[in-house]
Amino acid sequence: MKAVVYKKPFEVGIEEVARPELTHPDDIIVKVTTTCICGSDLHMYEGRTAAEPGIVFGHENMGIVHEVGAGVTLLKRGDRVVMPFNVACGRCINCEEGRSAFCTIVNPGFYFNNSIYSYVAMGPYQGGQAEYVKVPFADFNALKLPPGTEHEADFALLADIFPTGWHGVQLSGFKPGESVAVFGAGPVGLMAAYSALLRGASEVYVVDRVPERLAKAKEIGCTPVDFSKGDAAEQIKALRNGREVDRGVDAVGYQATTSDGKTEKPNVVLEALIAVVRPTGGLGIPGLYVPSDPGAPDAQSKQGYISFPFGKLFEKGLTIGTGQCNVKAYNRYLRDLIIAGKAKPSFVVSHRLPLADAKDAYEKFDKRIDGYTKVLLHP
């Protein structure tokens, strides 16, 4: 089958690789209809991880069940499904408690080994930017969708960014009627802002420096804040007559930059959130931070150590929620919002392309050019 294969930093290729096979009774094979390029894929694409050449990218996958293992009871050939980006067993204590991102069976040890389809150091499962993908623990991991092709782009976002954006708001301790500042207007940041609006936020501020992203935020009813034009926290407080917001979401992570958009400063968003959120408010941090980063700008952050004003955090009595999204805790409810016409997350999608165009799409998405915000690939 054809698949998107990592070759070296800043280069992927479309190559012929072996089609996946059933290896366990709980497996299914899915014929992929839509797979997404994620901002997290760019960490590997840019050479910022230990990813080895030859791996197949793609952890945001949906499609049609093609083969079914003997132990699968809830799914059949022909079912339309979407899979969480993180693989979980459905049986351990964390899965039972709704924390599927921290499954103790497929993620033993919790040393950044969360099982994800072909994300470096995060599990053995081949990615789905390909014509077929194998899904382990399929009865638990595959979410059934209505048959047909309706809402294809919306449902594809259930694999990662829509639940992750929702998760970021949840982590912040948000309550309806509160105000929210979201840092980062990439796909996850826009989904966090959109989720806050769906959940009844009174005001949502979205911080970024890319005009197309800020325009998207404004389109959905948020107040855009361009941090290239000045300190974002101060801009937000000025818009609010000096008042801070109730909740903040970091949808940027460890590759945050200063106002020039080029100089990396991993703690800059954490500092801004502490400055802009009111005393006893909350911070939700779904943005990715890693235990090691070979491309980090200083020795500390290369080892995963991020400095930020903990004294101010303590003084303000702020709470912090962080960690990878437990997609299974949200995806069926978000699916039903889409079916009911209450949510349409595909507004964030900028390009829908054939798999053959993946090489060009990665390059443009990485450079943030030609309006590339969220790319869907169709094998």
Side-chain angles (χ1 to χ4, degrees):
M1 67 173 184
K2 295 187 186 309
V4 177
V5 176
Y6 175 62
K7 299 176 77 67
K8 64 182 181 180
F10 300 100
E11 184 178 344
V12 296
I14 310 301
E15 298 185 359
E16 292 283 338
V17 303
R19 240 170 77 170
E21 298 179 352
L22 299 173
T23 56
H24 189 279
D26 287 347
D27 292 345
I28 61 172
I29 306 296
V30 171
K31 181 174 175 53
V32 178
T33 56
T34 300
T35 181
C36 314
I37 300 179
C38 179
S40 297
D41 292 325
L42 296 182
H43 303 315
M44 296 186 291
Y45 176 75
E46 294 170 355
R48 296 291 293 269
T49 71
E52 296 288 339
I55 67 170
V56 176
F57 281 172
H59 56 264
E60 301 181 20
N61 310 310
M62 69 175 290
I64 306 298
V65 177
H66 184 68
E67 295 181 59
V68 180
V72 176
T73 61
L74 302 180
L75 301 165
K76 64 183 186 302
R77 180 182 169 92
D79 282 343
R80 186 186 187 201
V81 292
V82 63
M83 283 68 68
F85 72 92
N86 38 23
V87 180
C89 75
R91 302 161 188 168
C92 70
I93 184 170
N94 280 343
C95 286
E96 286 182 348
E97 292 183 347
R99 300 183 181 97
S100 57
F102 303 92
C103 175
T104 61
I105 301 300
V106 298
N107 177 19
F110 295 99
Y111 182 70
F112 199 58
N113 192 33
N114 311 55
S115 284
I116 296 178
Y117 301 91
S118 267
Y119 195 89
V120 62
M122 298 178 80
Y125 305 109
Q126 183 168 277
Q129 288 176 10
E131 293 177 300
Y132 294 87
V133 66
K134 181 173 72 173
V135 181
F137 306 102
D139 277 334
F140 182 70
N141 286 304
L143 177 69
K144 288 180 69 172
L145 303 168
T149 59
E150 190 177 13
H151 303 304
E152 181 82 6
D154 296 302
F155 288 148
L157 303 187
L158 292 173
D160 185 350
I161 65 165
F162 193 12
T164 297
W166 191 278
H167 183 60
V169 177
Q170 183 77 11
L171 287 171
S172 76
F174 171 81
K175 297 187 289 291
E178 291 187 321
S179 54
V180 182
V182 177
F183 281 71
V188 169
L190 289 171
M191 287 296 98
Y194 187 52
S195 297
L197 292 171
L198 288 172
R199 297 175 68 163
S202 56
E203 295 176 285
V204 180
Y205 302 87
V206 178
V207 179
D208 207 290
R209 69 187 308 281
V210 179
E212 293 90 346
R213 291 178 166 189
L214 292 169
K216 281 282 186 185
K218 188 173 183 179
E219 281 177 21
I220 62 171
C222 302
T223 301
V225 177
D226 187 343
F227 75 91
S228 71
K229 296 181 178 178
D231 182 271
E234 292 304 317
Q235 287 189 65
I236 292 170
K237 287 189 282 188
L239 290 167
R240 295 174 55 79
N241 297 315
R243 293 179 299 124
E244 297 158 316
V245 296
D246 299 300
R247 308 289 163 179
V249 176
D250 174 2
V252 180
Y254 74 107
Q255 285 187 271
T257 68
T258 57
S259 59
D260 62 6
K262 299 175 182 177
T263 306
E264 286 195 18
K265 186 179 179 184
N267 60 356
V268 68
V269 171
L270 298 176
E271 290 183 347
L273 285 172
I274 291 169
V276 80
V277 174
R278 67 169 171 83
T280 72
L283 316 181
I285 308 176
L288 180 65
Y289 288 85
V290 295
S292 63
D293 172 16
D298 58 75
Q300 277 197 320
S301 50
K302 283 182 179 180
Q303 301 300 316
Y305 287 86
I306 308 295
S307 64
F308 62 94
F310 192 88
K312 197 66 178 177
L313 179 91
F314 180 89
E315 181 182 72
K316 295 179 80 171
L318 300 173
T319 58
I320 296 180
T322 190
Q324 195 182 97
C325 175
N326 305 301
V327 175
K328 288 289 297 183
Y330 312 113
N331 65 354
R332 68 180 57 251
Y333 307 106
L334 301 182
R335 172 200 65 188
D336 292 347
L337 283 176
I338 292 168
I339 293 170
K342 305 288 187 182
K344 193 166 182 59
S346 60
F347 76 85
V348 77
V349 174
S350 60
H351 294 76
R352 301 179 65 167
L353 305 169
L355 190 71
D357 290 352
K359 181 179 173 69
D360 184 59
Y362 263 95
E363 181 179 353
K364 290 180 177 178
F365 183 35
D366 185 57
K367 292 179 178 177
R368 310 296 197 269
I369 60 176
D370 294 349
Y372 274 67
T373 54
K374 186 63 177 177
V375 182
L376 307 190
L377 299 174
H378 302 294

